[in-house]
Amino acid sequence: MSDVAPGLILRETEPDNLEYPFSNLEVDGPITPNGRFYIRDHFNPPEIDRKTWRLSLQGAVAHSIELSLEDIKTFPRVTHTALLECSGNSRAFLTPKKEGVAWELGGLGCARWTGVSLATILDRAGVNASAVEIVLEGADHGTPEKTNKPKGEIHYAHSLPMADARRPEVLLAYEMNGEALPDAHGGPLRAIVPGWYAMASVKWLRRILVMERPFHGYFQTVEYAYWAAQNGAPPERVPITRLPVKSQIARPAMREVIAAGSNYRVFGAAWAADSAIAKVEVSSDGGKTWGRAKLLGEAFDHAWRLWEFEWQPKDTGTYTLLSRATDAQGHTQPAEHDQDHEAYIIHHTLPITVMVEVA
Amino acid sequence: MSDVAPGLILRETEPDNLEYPFSNLEVDGPITPNGRFYIRDHFNPPEIDRKTWRLSLQGAVAHSIELSLEDIKTFPRVTHTALLECSGNSRAFLTPKKEGVAWELGGLGCARWTGVSLATILDRAGVNASAVEIVLEGADHGTPEKTNKPKGEIHYAHSLPMADARRPEVLLAYEMNGEALPDAHGGPLRAIVPGWYAMASVKWLRRILVMERPFHGYFQTVEYAYWAAQNGAPPERVPITRLPVKSQIARPAMREVIAAGSNYRVFGAAWAADSAIAKVEVSSDGGKTWGRAKLLGEAFDHAWRLWEFEWQPKDTGTYTLLSRATDAQGHTQPAEHDQDHEAYIIHHTLPITVMVEVA
């Protein structure tokens, strides 16, 4: 078990799966502290000696390269604030219960990541014109859980299409919120792929493989994938990619007791992969009526936007609160989970039930 | 259960999976009669009215088209002899036992197929330069067996890369050995993809979909696929494609009793996807020593080549016969099943055990 995560909610151990207590968002603010950032591991963290560690870049490149952490730090330094969310976050809200880690609201966090643009490193090696994808491979390895899996141990690995890999905000990060990237978060070096679910932000990077054909590894065909009929074709196995629009209520927490007649500040966050948040609405009657929340602070690409909503519950009783975000492109959170997404991409309006009692 | 298959070995019913009694090869000769051709169905055969049936061609084409059987017969008529083999053929030889239909030696057959070149039909619709694959979709539908599957019913479907689809011998066949293609074998129209395992030769065709990206359907990601680490990449899910070199002994049959001192004609077939058979060797001592078999008849691309070998067992006892083919490119059958291929691509030298007794 990790020693960097006091105050996290334990979901699983061996390997660690630790949840951010999302009701702390108001206290923590828009940047999640390192010690409270959620942890989603697939295998136990690898033992890495930062002195001898190297990143290798191989495949369809002009010249393979090996870089030490010092080498990587000689490239232009880029800092980007980005939300990471597990594609199974909010799974605990699904009924019937689905397979997988039962995240409530805290399988996510937002940090300031510093490193080098992946595009810079790709240019350094000289990517062949025929290249179509890159595989990000971690040093963590083990035997996956599902029955349909490769024989023996595999390394965690995930690919990106070349156009996504070359976006300037895609980083190889060695700092998190101004500190050296902690071991528990993929140190010495991890990928940060803003706008994508976090399964693409591979931790403990050891190798980048440039491929001339699409990659079909375990973590994008068996796990982190679902069946979908696209463009009139028969159903296909589709990998999970970008974050859709979503909001969550941090306060009140589930089953919180609130005084009747009080002024309660409903507080939460909203985000979308490739768009700003245009508005957030809040309902205190299970979705019958909605009021507009106030967006707080500034909007940053790939970060969440915090919001607040004043609520004065008059009558005692049980209330179901919902928040509903709409992005600048007009996409709004759905009212129900899309069953085709199976146990992933859970971004519908999530009900928070509270009790209003006599003060 | 099908009414066209007297004398076939029942492996499964609902849907039909019926095996050719391969020990009949010497009697039947190089062209398997329609009534003895093996049947491998994934779902129950669809009910098709040949009068109203249409093939539609859609997707990345200049103009979508719909063709009746009469329309299809107006295109140039092509006849090609091709072996079809189920990619699970010889699965009964695997230990430990593997999941799937337990074919012995007869999950295969060779017929003369008549129809139109798929390339001709593609040209008729005008395929966009951006197209990379075609999906062949059957009218048969149902719920697949494995747990990792799409929701609800799907149609049987399989794709081909465009270069393979355009090979002139890839047919849309409406005749089998000079007769109208029987319902049990995919009538009125099926694909024939010579050189590929038979899962690509989609029966009961109803639609051809031209795609601008690779297709990842159930029958090439969950079934008919295996895990392999290719070109230094982490393990990936790889679809089954071409037939490797293989031979099988038809006579003697497994556990046949042979008279000591007799002249026995060992008889069998050999084939390879994209190459002629250069030689077949036979061992009667479990692989210690080998003698050269005589290749019979002419060599035809994508058909099997029959062969014979004179054997005079002198002493009584139990013998293990093996046959081993080598193709013109120098590929030889391996001695053991490649475990990475799981329950598919079973093309190692298969032991046939016989008893030699006093005449």
Side-chain angles (χ1 to χ4, degrees):
Chain A
M1 174 132 172
S2 170
D3 58 351
V4 299
L8 292 183
I9 301 159
L10 180 65
R11 290 289 174 197
E12 289 183 1
T13 190
E14 297 277 335
D16 284 345
N17 283 297
L18 305 168
E19 176 164 341
Y20 173 53
F22 188 66
S23 57
N24 262 56
L25 180 69
E26 197 172 358
V27 175
D28 290 332
I31 300 297
T32 315
N34 289 1
R36 299 169 74 78
F37 205 92
Y38 87 108
I39 292 176
R40 199 298 181 228
D41 289 353
H42 300 85
F43 308 121
N44 281 326
E47 305 224 343
I48 295 176
D49 178 344
R50 290 180 181 228
K51 288 205 183 64
T52 58
W53 173 91
R54 296 288 182 278
L55 174 71
S56 63
L57 202 147
Q58 305 170 345
V61 291
H63 24 264
S64 300
I65 53 179
E66 283 218 336
L67 299 169
S68 69
L69 196 54
E70 284 60 47
D71 295 333
I72 288 168
K73 288 179 177 175
T74 63
F75 291 97
R77 187 178 160 89
V78 178
T79 295
H80 196 77
T81 301
L83 172 88
L84 293 187
E85 183 185 9
C86 176
S87 59
N89 187 36
S90 313
R91 193 176 279 144
F93 285 86
L94 298 183
T95 51
K97 189 172 173 301
K98 290 272 203 301
E99 209 178 71
V101 183
W103 303 105
E104 188 187 348
L105 294 169
L108 86 179
C110 189
R112 279 173 32 248
W113 309 97
T114 298
V116 54
S117 267
L118 173 55
T120 303
I121 301 291
L122 292 174
D123 288 343
R124 173 77 159 68
V127 171
N128 295 355
S130 52
V132 299
E133 287 205 358
I134 64 153
V135 179
L136 301 164
E137 186 181 67
D140 51 329
H141 57 93
T143 307
E145 282 177 22
K146 307 267 177 165
T147 53
N148 181 19
K149 64 188 174 192
K151 262 195 315 183
E153 293 208 339
I154 60 172
H155 283 256
Y156 187 82
H158 203 279
S159 77
L160 289 175
M162 193 54 72
D164 292 285
R166 283 199 160 282
R167 286 166 54 197
E169 70 270 20
V170 174
L171 302 185
L172 305 183
Y174 46 76
E175 287 181 17
M176 180 179 183
N177 293 330
E179 293 173 18
L181 185 64
D183 291 347
H185 294 290
L189 194 76
R190 75 176 296 174
I192 294 293
V193 185
W196 281 50
Y197 276 113
M199 77 276 131
S201 292
V202 177
K203 301 202 277 193
W204 305 297
L205 273 181
R206 66 165 200 167
R207 184 163 70 127
I208 295 174
L209 182 64
V210 180
M211 307 253 298
E212 291 172 307
R213 53 181 182 73
F215 175 66
H216 298 121
Y218 174 84
F219 292 101
Q220 58 203 73
T221 59
V222 178
E223 295 196 44
Y224 300 125
Y226 58 96
W227 292 102
Q230 306 177 117
N231 312 120
E236 294 179 75
R237 200 68 184 161
V238 175
I240 288 167
T241 56
R242 291 180 176 75
L243 296 161
V245 63
K246 183 173 178 181
S247 66
Q248 291 185 173
I249 295 171
R251 295 297 306 275
M254 185 70 87
R255 292 169 206 273
E256 191 170 316
V257 176
I258 295 172
S262 64
N263 280 333
Y264 193 94
R265 188 196 191 206
V266 180
F267 189 85
W271 59 93
D274 299 311
S275 179
I277 291 299
K279 67 172 176 183
V280 173
E281 298 159 292
V282 173
S283 173
S284 58
D285 55 11
K288 287 193 204 85
T289 62
W290 297 85
R292 189 96 170 231
K294 182 184 174 190
L295 302 182
L296 304 173
E298 280 182 82
F300 293 101
D301 287 351
H302 311 118
W304 53 22
R305 187 85 188 264
L306 306 190
W307 53 264
E308 64 178 11
F309 177 82
E310 289 296 319
W311 181 43
Q312 286 125 346
K314 282 178 198 145
D315 301 324
T316 59
T318 300
Y319 290 77
T320 297
L321 297 181
L322 298 166
S323 68
R324 183 171 72 183
T326 301
D327 72 14
Q329 295 170 11
H331 302 118
T332 297
Q333 283 181 258
E336 302 286 345
H337 176 59
D338 183 342
Q339 295 296 331
D340 288 342
H341 291 156
E342 301 169 18
Y344 299 111
I345 316 180
I346 302 139
H347 76 119
H348 62 291
T349 51
L350 301 169
I352 302 296
T353 305
V354 297
M355 272 69 79
V356 173
E357 297 185 356
V358 176
Chain B
M1 173 131 176
S2 170
D3 58 353
V4 299
L8 292 184
I9 301 160
L10 180 66
R11 291 288 174 199
E12 289 184 1
T13 191
E14 296 278 335
D16 284 345
N17 283 297
L18 305 169
E19 177 165 340
Y20 174 52
F22 188 66
S23 58
N24 261 57
L25 180 68
E26 197 173 358
V27 175
D28 290 332
I31 300 297
T32 315
N34 289 1
R36 299 168 77 78
F37 205 92
Y38 87 107
I39 292 176
R40 199 299 182 227
D41 289 352
H42 300 85
F43 307 121
N44 281 326
E47 304 223 345
I48 295 177
D49 178 345
R50 290 180 182 229
K51 288 204 183 64
T52 57
W53 173 89
R54 295 288 182 279
L55 173 72
S56 64
L57 202 147
Q58 306 170 345
V61 292
H63 26 263
S64 300
I65 53 178
E66 283 218 338
L67 299 169
S68 69
L69 195 54
E70 284 59 48
D71 295 333
I72 288 168
K73 288 180 176 174
T74 64
F75 291 98
R77 186 178 162 91
V78 179
T79 295
H80 196 77
T81 301
L83 172 89
L84 293 187
E85 183 184 9
C86 175
S87 58
N89 187 36
S90 313
R91 193 176 279 143
F93 285 85
L94 298 183
T95 52
K97 190 172 173 300
K98 292 270 203 302
E99 210 180 71
V101 182
W103 303 105
E104 187 187 347
L105 295 169
L108 86 180
C110 189
R112 280 173 32 247
W113 309 98
T114 299
V116 54
S117 268
L118 173 56
T120 303
I121 301 290
L122 293 175
D123 288 343
R124 172 79 159 67
V127 170
N128 295 354
S130 53
V132 299
E133 287 205 357
I134 64 153
V135 179
L136 301 163
E137 186 182 67
D140 50 329
H141 57 93
T143 307
E145 282 177 23
K146 307 267 175 164
T147 53
N148 181 19
K149 63 188 174 193
K151 261 195 316 183
E153 292 208 340
I154 60 171
H155 282 257
Y156 187 83
H158 203 278
S159 77
L160 289 175
M162 193 55 72
D164 292 284
R166 284 198 159 284
R167 286 165 55 195
E169 70 270 18
V170 174
L171 302 185
L172 306 183
Y174 47 76
E175 288 182 17
M176 179 180 183
N177 293 330
E179 293 173 18
L181 184 64
D183 290 348
H185 294 290
L189 194 77
R190 75 176 296 174
I192 294 293
V193 184
W196 280 50
Y197 276 113
M199 78 274 132
S201 292
V202 178
K203 301 202 277 193
W204 305 298
L205 273 180
R206 67 165 200 167
R207 184 163 70 128
I208 295 174
L209 182 64
V210 180
M211 305 254 298
E212 291 171 307
R213 53 180 181 74
F215 175 67
H216 298 121
Y218 173 84
F219 291 101
Q220 57 204 73
T221 59
V222 178
E223 295 196 43
Y224 300 125
Y226 57 96
W227 292 101
Q230 305 177 116
N231 310 120
E236 294 179 75
R237 201 68 183 159
V238 176
I240 287 165
T241 57
R242 292 180 175 75
L243 296 161
V245 64
K246 183 173 178 181
S247 66
Q248 291 185 173
I249 295 170
R251 294 298 305 274
M254 185 70 88
R255 292 169 207 272
E256 191 169 316
V257 177
I258 295 172
S262 65
N263 281 333
Y264 193 94
R265 187 196 191 205
V266 181
F267 190 86
W271 59 94
D274 299 311
S275 179
I277 292 298
K279 68 172 174 181
V280 173
E281 297 159 292
V282 174
S283 173
S284 59
D285 56 9
K288 288 193 204 86
T289 62
W290 297 85
R292 189 93 170 234
K294 181 183 174 191
L295 301 181
L296 303 173
E298 280 181 82
F300 294 100
D301 288 350
H302 310 119
W304 52 23
R305 187 84 188 265
L306 306 190
W307 53 263
E308 64 178 11
F309 178 82
E310 288 294 320
W311 182 42
Q312 286 124 348
K314 282 178 198 145
D315 301 325
T316 59
T318 300
Y319 290 77
T320 298
L321 297 180
L322 298 166
S323 68
R324 182 172 72 184
T326 301
D327 72 16
Q329 294 169 12
H331 301 117
T332 297
Q333 284 181 259
E336 302 286 345
H337 176 59
D338 182 342
Q339 295 296 330
D340 288 342
H341 291 156
E342 301 169 18
Y344 298 111
I345 317 180
I346 302 138
H347 76 119
H348 62 291
T349 52
L350 302 169
I352 302 296
T353 305
V354 296
M355 274 68 78
V356 173
E357 297 185 355
V358 176

